[in-house]
Amino acid sequence: MRLLKTIFLGLALCAGSMLWAQEEEQENSLEGGTIESQFEFLYRKSGNYNAEGRRYEVVRRIQLDKIRDNILDSLNKGRAEARELNATIARQEGTIEDLNGKLENTTNQLADITAEKDSMSLIGMQVSKITYNLVLWTIIGGLLLFLLLFIYKYRRSNVLTQEAKVKLSDVESEYEDHRRKALEREQKISRQLQDEINKYKKGK
């Protein structure tokens, strides 16, 4: 029983080693893998000989053609990827340029809106809110000052009018008193004159 287990274990190890060797052989073949691994495979599969004191490596022509085709395929694939990447970069640069233009336009619009928000229209001109408020409060202050001046002038005129009315009333009273006295003097003189006339007539 122990012998059977040992044989079975030995067969399993041999099968695993063979599978691993096949996989490694496939990985290190000219049919796949990296260019480095293919060169390593070619180097291991090449023969060598010495002639005239020099060492030469012998490579089969079919393997050399295969690795050349693989290298050319890799180069073409790399060039195609480079062209695709350049096209993608060009598209991305176009998109970035377009986005930068839109960003600049949006920034300008935002600056215009901010300036418009921070300014007011005054007599058809756009002025800042500070200037607008300054002009507005100057006008309000001027009107208030004018109103106070008007009230002062009105009250002063009213006082002067009342004083004039009082003086006019006094003058009218004096005039009326003077006219009454003048009328009394005139009547008195008229009576005296009439008395003198009557005396004169009687004396004849």
Side-chain angles (χ1 to χ4, degrees), residues 155-176:
R155 287 187 176 177
R156 182 164 178 78
S157 297
N158 194 23
V159 169
L160 292 175
T161 302
Q162 293 298 329
E163 290 178 355
K165 284 182 179 179
V166 170
K167 288 180 180 178
L168 180 61
S169 178
D170 293 341
V171 169
E172 285 179 350
S173 297
E174 289 178 5
Y175 175 73
E176 195 63 36

PDB file of all heavy atoms in Angstrom, residues 155-176:
ATOM      1  N   ARG A 155     -41.788 130.468   7.981  1.00  0.00           N
ATOM      2  CA  ARG A 155     -42.078 130.931   9.349  1.00  0.00           C
ATOM      3  C   ARG A 155     -41.651 132.391   9.535  1.00  0.00           C
ATOM      4  O   ARG A 155     -42.362 133.165  10.174  1.00  0.00           O
ATOM      5  CB  ARG A 155     -41.361 130.031  10.364  1.00  0.00           C
ATOM      6  CG  ARG A 155     -42.005 128.659  10.476  1.00  0.00           C
ATOM      7  CD  ARG A 155     -41.397 127.861  11.601  1.00  0.00           C
ATOM      8  NE  ARG A 155     -42.080 126.588  11.776  1.00  0.00           N
ATOM      9  CZ  ARG A 155     -41.734 125.660  12.638  1.00  0.00           C
ATOM     10  NH1 ARG A 155     -40.687 125.878  13.422  1.00  0.00           N
ATOM     11  NH2 ARG A 155     -42.416 124.545  12.751  1.00  0.00           N
ATOM     12  N   ARG A 156     -40.481 132.726   8.982  1.00  0.00           N
ATOM     13  CA  ARG A 156     -40.026 134.115   9.101  1.00  0.00           C
ATOM     14  C   ARG A 156     -40.987 135.049   8.384  1.00  0.00           C
ATOM     15  O   ARG A 156     -41.341 136.125   8.908  1.00  0.00           O
ATOM     16  CB  ARG A 156     -38.613 134.246   8.541  1.00  0.00           C
ATOM     17  CG  ARG A 156     -38.045 135.646   8.663  1.00  0.00           C
ATOM     18  CD  ARG A 156     -36.548 135.630   8.468  1.00  0.00           C
ATOM     19  NE  ARG A 156     -35.997 136.976   8.525  1.00  0.00           N
ATOM     20  CZ  ARG A 156     -35.781 137.651   9.634  1.00  0.00           C
ATOM     21  NH1 ARG A 156     -36.070 137.106  10.799  1.00  0.00           N
ATOM     22  NH2 ARG A 156     -35.261 138.877   9.608  1.00  0.00           N
ATOM     23  N   SER A 157     -41.419 134.647   7.205  1.00  0.00           N
ATOM     24  CA  SER A 157     -42.380 135.470   6.461  1.00  0.00           C
ATOM     25  C   SER A 157     -43.689 135.571   7.226  1.00  0.00           C
ATOM     26  O   SER A 157     -44.327 136.644   7.259  1.00  0.00           O
ATOM     27  CB  SER A 157     -42.640 134.861   5.077  1.00  0.00           C
ATOM     28  OG  SER A 157     -41.465 134.847   4.312  1.00  0.00           O
ATOM     29  N   ASN A 158     -44.090 134.492   7.873  1.00  0.00           N
ATOM     30  CA  ASN A 158     -45.337 134.503   8.645  1.00  0.00           C
ATOM     31  C   ASN A 158     -45.213 135.468   9.823  1.00  0.00           C
ATOM     32  O   ASN A 158     -46.143 136.244  10.115  1.00  0.00           O
ATOM     33  CB  ASN A 158     -45.639 133.081   9.126  1.00  0.00           C
ATOM     34  CG  ASN A 158     -47.054 132.944   9.636  1.00  0.00           C
ATOM     35  OD1 ASN A 158     -47.926 133.725   9.278  1.00  0.00           O
ATOM     36  ND2 ASN A 158     -47.274 131.963  10.494  1.00  0.00           N
ATOM     37  N   VAL A 159     -44.037 135.403  10.495  1.00  0.00           N
ATOM     38  CA  VAL A 159     -43.815 136.330  11.617  1.00  0.00           C
ATOM     39  C   VAL A 159     -43.829 137.771  11.116  1.00  0.00           C
ATOM     40  O   VAL A 159     -44.451 138.667  11.724  1.00  0.00           O
ATOM     41  CB  VAL A 159     -42.488 135.991  12.317  1.00  0.00           C
ATOM     42  CG1 VAL A 159     -42.103 137.093  13.299  1.00  0.00           C
ATOM     43  CG2 VAL A 159     -42.576 134.645  13.041  1.00  0.00           C
ATOM     44  N   LEU A 160     -43.121 138.005   9.991  1.00  0.00           N
ATOM     45  CA  LEU A 160     -43.101 139.369   9.431  1.00  0.00           C
ATOM     46  C   LEU A 160     -44.483 139.823   9.007  1.00  0.00           C
ATOM     47  O   LEU A 160     -44.865 140.999   9.188  1.00  0.00           O
ATOM     48  CB  LEU A 160     -42.135 139.427   8.245  1.00  0.00           C
ATOM     49  CG  LEU A 160     -40.638 139.254   8.580  1.00  0.00           C
ATOM     50  CD1 LEU A 160     -39.820 139.218   7.301  1.00  0.00           C
ATOM     51  CD2 LEU A 160     -40.159 140.370   9.496  1.00  0.00           C
ATOM     52  N   THR A 161     -45.272 138.877   8.473  1.00  0.00           N
ATOM     53  CA  THR A 161     -46.640 139.222   8.060  1.00  0.00           C
ATOM     54  C   THR A 161     -47.489 139.585   9.266  1.00  0.00           C
ATOM     55  O   THR A 161     -48.261 140.566   9.242  1.00  0.00           O
ATOM     56  CB  THR A 161     -47.272 138.030   7.310  1.00  0.00           C
ATOM     57  OG1 THR A 161     -46.463 137.711   6.175  1.00  0.00           O
ATOM     58  CG2 THR A 161     -48.664 138.363   6.844  1.00  0.00           C
ATOM     59  N   GLN A 162     -47.340 138.788  10.335  1.00  0.00           N
ATOM     60  CA  GLN A 162     -48.103 139.092  11.551  1.00  0.00           C
ATOM     61  C   GLN A 162     -47.684 140.448  12.117  1.00  0.00           C
ATOM     62  O   GLN A 162     -48.532 141.253  12.547  1.00  0.00           O
ATOM     63  CB  GLN A 162     -47.876 137.989  12.606  1.00  0.00           C
ATOM     64  CG  GLN A 162     -48.444 136.626  12.220  1.00  0.00           C
ATOM     65  CD  GLN A 162     -49.949 136.651  12.050  1.00  0.00           C
ATOM     66  OE1 GLN A 162     -50.650 137.421  12.716  1.00  0.00           O
ATOM     67  NE2 GLN A 162     -50.448 135.834  11.125  1.00  0.00           N
ATOM     68  N   GLU A 163     -46.349 140.705  12.123  1.00  0.00           N
ATOM     69  CA  GLU A 163     -45.885 142.011  12.598  1.00  0.00           C
ATOM     70  C   GLU A 163     -46.419 143.133  11.716  1.00  0.00           C
ATOM     71  O   GLU A 163     -46.831 144.200  12.219  1.00  0.00           O
ATOM     72  CB  GLU A 163     -44.348 142.031  12.624  1.00  0.00           C
ATOM     73  CG  GLU A 163     -43.741 141.147  13.696  1.00  0.00           C
ATOM     74  CD  GLU A 163     -42.222 141.154  13.643  1.00  0.00           C
ATOM     75  OE1 GLU A 163     -41.662 141.784  12.710  1.00  0.00           O
ATOM     76  OE2 GLU A 163     -41.587 140.525  14.519  1.00  0.00           O
ATOM     77  N   ALA A 164     -46.422 142.909  10.416  1.00  0.00           N
ATOM     78  CA  ALA A 164     -46.939 143.929   9.488  1.00  0.00           C
ATOM     79  C   ALA A 164     -48.421 144.169   9.715  1.00  0.00           C
ATOM     80  O   ALA A 164     -48.898 145.317   9.661  1.00  0.00           O
ATOM     81  CB  ALA A 164     -46.673 143.492   8.053  1.00  0.00           C
ATOM     82  N   LYS A 165     -49.158 143.066   9.976  1.00  0.00           N
ATOM     83  CA  LYS A 165     -50.596 143.222  10.239  1.00  0.00           C
ATOM     84  C   LYS A 165     -50.826 144.039  11.504  1.00  0.00           C
ATOM     85  O   LYS A 165     -51.727 144.896  11.557  1.00  0.00           O
ATOM     86  CB  LYS A 165     -51.260 141.845  10.375  1.00  0.00           C
ATOM     87  CG  LYS A 165     -51.472 141.142   9.045  1.00  0.00           C
ATOM     88  CD  LYS A 165     -52.177 139.797   9.253  1.00  0.00           C
ATOM     89  CE  LYS A 165     -52.414 139.093   7.938  1.00  0.00           C
ATOM     90  NZ  LYS A 165     -53.067 137.785   8.127  1.00  0.00           N
ATOM     91  N   VAL A 166     -49.997 143.744  12.552  1.00  0.00           N
ATOM     92  CA  VAL A 166     -50.139 144.502  13.802  1.00  0.00           C
ATOM     93  C   VAL A 166     -49.823 145.965  13.566  1.00  0.00           C
ATOM     94  O   VAL A 166     -50.556 146.873  14.011  1.00  0.00           O
ATOM     95  CB  VAL A 166     -49.223 143.901  14.894  1.00  0.00           C
ATOM     96  CG1 VAL A 166     -49.169 144.813  16.105  1.00  0.00           C
ATOM     97  CG2 VAL A 166     -49.710 142.504  15.287  1.00  0.00           C
ATOM     98  N   LYS A 167     -48.728 146.220  12.844  1.00  0.00           N
ATOM     99  CA  LYS A 167     -48.358 147.610  12.543  1.00  0.00           C
ATOM    100  C   LYS A 167     -49.422 148.289  11.696  1.00  0.00           C
ATOM    101  O   LYS A 167     -49.755 149.465  11.908  1.00  0.00           O
ATOM    102  CB  LYS A 167     -47.012 147.657  11.823  1.00  0.00           C
ATOM    103  CG  LYS A 167     -45.840 147.322  12.744  1.00  0.00           C
ATOM    104  CD  LYS A 167     -44.522 147.376  11.983  1.00  0.00           C
ATOM    105  CE  LYS A 167     -43.353 147.047  12.917  1.00  0.00           C
ATOM    106  NZ  LYS A 167     -42.068 147.039  12.218  1.00  0.00           N
ATOM    107  N   LEU A 168     -49.956 147.538  10.731  1.00  0.00           N
ATOM    108  CA  LEU A 168     -51.020 148.105   9.884  1.00  0.00           C
ATOM    109  C   LEU A 168     -52.249 148.423  10.707  1.00  0.00           C
ATOM    110  O   LEU A 168     -52.889 149.474  10.520  1.00  0.00           O
ATOM    111  CB  LEU A 168     -51.371 147.120   8.759  1.00  0.00           C
ATOM    112  CG  LEU A 168     -52.471 147.564   7.796  1.00  0.00           C
ATOM    113  CD1 LEU A 168     -52.075 148.846   7.070  1.00  0.00           C
ATOM    114  CD2 LEU A 168     -52.811 146.471   6.815  1.00  0.00           C
ATOM    115  N   SER A 169     -52.559 147.529  11.643  1.00  0.00           N
ATOM    116  CA  SER A 169     -53.710 147.790  12.518  1.00  0.00           C
ATOM    117  C   SER A 169     -53.463 149.033  13.364  1.00  0.00           C
ATOM    118  O   SER A 169     -54.356 149.878  13.535  1.00  0.00           O
ATOM    119  CB  SER A 169     -53.944 146.565  13.405  1.00  0.00           C
ATOM    120  OG  SER A 169     -55.013 146.797  14.288  1.00  0.00           O
ATOM    121  N   ASP A 170     -52.200 149.146  13.861  1.00  0.00           N
ATOM    122  CA  ASP A 170     -51.864 150.347  14.646  1.00  0.00           C
ATOM    123  C   ASP A 170     -51.959 151.609  13.790  1.00  0.00           C
ATOM    124  O   ASP A 170     -52.497 152.649  14.222  1.00  0.00           O
ATOM    125  CB  ASP A 170     -50.464 150.219  15.243  1.00  0.00           C
ATOM    126  CG  ASP A 170     -50.380 149.121  16.295  1.00  0.00           C
ATOM    127  OD1 ASP A 170     -51.461 148.720  16.801  1.00  0.00           O
ATOM    128  OD2 ASP A 170     -49.261 148.639  16.591  1.00  0.00           O
ATOM    129  N   VAL A 171     -51.427 151.519  12.583  1.00  0.00           N
ATOM    130  CA  VAL A 171     -51.479 152.678  11.677  1.00  0.00           C
ATOM    131  C   VAL A 171     -52.922 153.045  11.343  1.00  0.00           C
ATOM    132  O   VAL A 171     -53.296 154.231  11.317  1.00  0.00           O
ATOM    133  CB  VAL A 171     -50.669 152.380  10.399  1.00  0.00           C
ATOM    134  CG1 VAL A 171     -50.920 153.453   9.339  1.00  0.00           C
ATOM    135  CG2 VAL A 171     -49.185 152.305  10.721  1.00  0.00           C
ATOM    136  N   GLU A 172     -53.734 151.997  11.112  1.00  0.00           N
ATOM    137  CA  GLU A 172     -55.150 152.266  10.804  1.00  0.00           C
ATOM    138  C   GLU A 172     -55.831 152.925  11.999  1.00  0.00           C
ATOM    139  O   GLU A 172     -56.659 153.838  11.840  1.00  0.00           O
ATOM    140  CB  GLU A 172     -55.859 150.960  10.422  1.00  0.00           C
ATOM    141  CG  GLU A 172     -55.501 150.463   9.026  1.00  0.00           C
ATOM    142  CD  GLU A 172     -56.195 149.156   8.693  1.00  0.00           C
ATOM    143  OE1 GLU A 172     -56.797 148.543   9.613  1.00  0.00           O
ATOM    144  OE2 GLU A 172     -56.137 148.730   7.529  1.00  0.00           O
ATOM    145  N   SER A 173     -55.498 152.438  13.207  1.00  0.00           N
ATOM    146  CA  SER A 173     -56.088 153.049  14.408  1.00  0.00           C
ATOM    147  C   SER A 173     -55.653 154.507  14.536  1.00  0.00           C
ATOM    148  O   SER A 173     -56.486 155.408  14.817  1.00  0.00           O
ATOM    149  CB  SER A 173     -55.676 152.277  15.656  1.00  0.00           C
ATOM    150  OG  SER A 173     -56.160 150.962  15.623  1.00  0.00           O
ATOM    151  N   GLU A 174     -54.341 154.723  14.329  1.00  0.00           N
ATOM    152  CA  GLU A 174     -53.852 156.105  14.411  1.00  0.00           C
ATOM    153  C   GLU A 174     -54.502 156.984  13.329  1.00  0.00           C
ATOM    154  O   GLU A 174     -54.869 158.136  13.579  1.00  0.00           O
ATOM    155  CB  GLU A 174     -52.322 156.125  14.249  1.00  0.00           C
ATOM    156  CG  GLU A 174     -51.571 155.543  15.453  1.00  0.00           C
ATOM    157  CD  GLU A 174     -50.068 155.527  15.226  1.00  0.00           C
ATOM    158  OE1 GLU A 174     -49.623 156.060  14.182  1.00  0.00           O
ATOM    159  OE2 GLU A 174     -49.348 154.976  16.076  1.00  0.00           O
ATOM    160  N   TYR A 175     -54.603 156.397  12.125  1.00  0.00           N
ATOM    161  CA  TYR A 175     -55.223 157.164  11.031  1.00  0.00           C
ATOM    162  C   TYR A 175     -56.677 157.476  11.351  1.00  0.00           C
ATOM    163  O   TYR A 175     -57.164 158.592  11.122  1.00  0.00           O
ATOM    164  CB  TYR A 175     -55.123 156.377   9.722  1.00  0.00           C
ATOM    165  CG  TYR A 175     -55.824 157.015   8.583  1.00  0.00           C
ATOM    166  CD1 TYR A 175     -55.317 158.168   7.966  1.00  0.00           C
ATOM    167  CD2 TYR A 175     -57.058 156.514   8.132  1.00  0.00           C
ATOM    168  CE1 TYR A 175     -55.997 158.773   6.925  1.00  0.00           C
ATOM    169  CE2 TYR A 175     -57.728 157.112   7.097  1.00  0.00           C
ATOM    170  CZ  TYR A 175     -57.196 158.235   6.488  1.00  0.00           C
ATOM    171  OH  TYR A 175     -57.883 158.820   5.450  1.00  0.00           O
ATOM    172  N   GLU A 176     -57.352 156.465  11.868  1.00  0.00           N
ATOM    173  CA  GLU A 176     -58.764 156.673  12.195  1.00  0.00           C
ATOM    174  C   GLU A 176     -58.896 157.728  13.294  1.00  0.00           C
ATOM    175  O   GLU A 176     -59.775 158.625  13.240  1.00  0.00           O
ATOM    176  CB  GLU A 176     -59.382 155.345  12.648  1.00  0.00           C
ATOM    177  CG  GLU A 176     -60.897 155.310  12.677  1.00  0.00           C
ATOM    178  CD  GLU A 176     -61.512 155.502  11.320  1.00  0.00           C
ATOM    179  OE1 GLU A 176     -60.944 155.012  10.300  1.00  0.00           O
ATOM    180  OE2 GLU A 176     -62.560 156.173  11.261  1.00  0.00           O
TER     181      GLU A 176
END
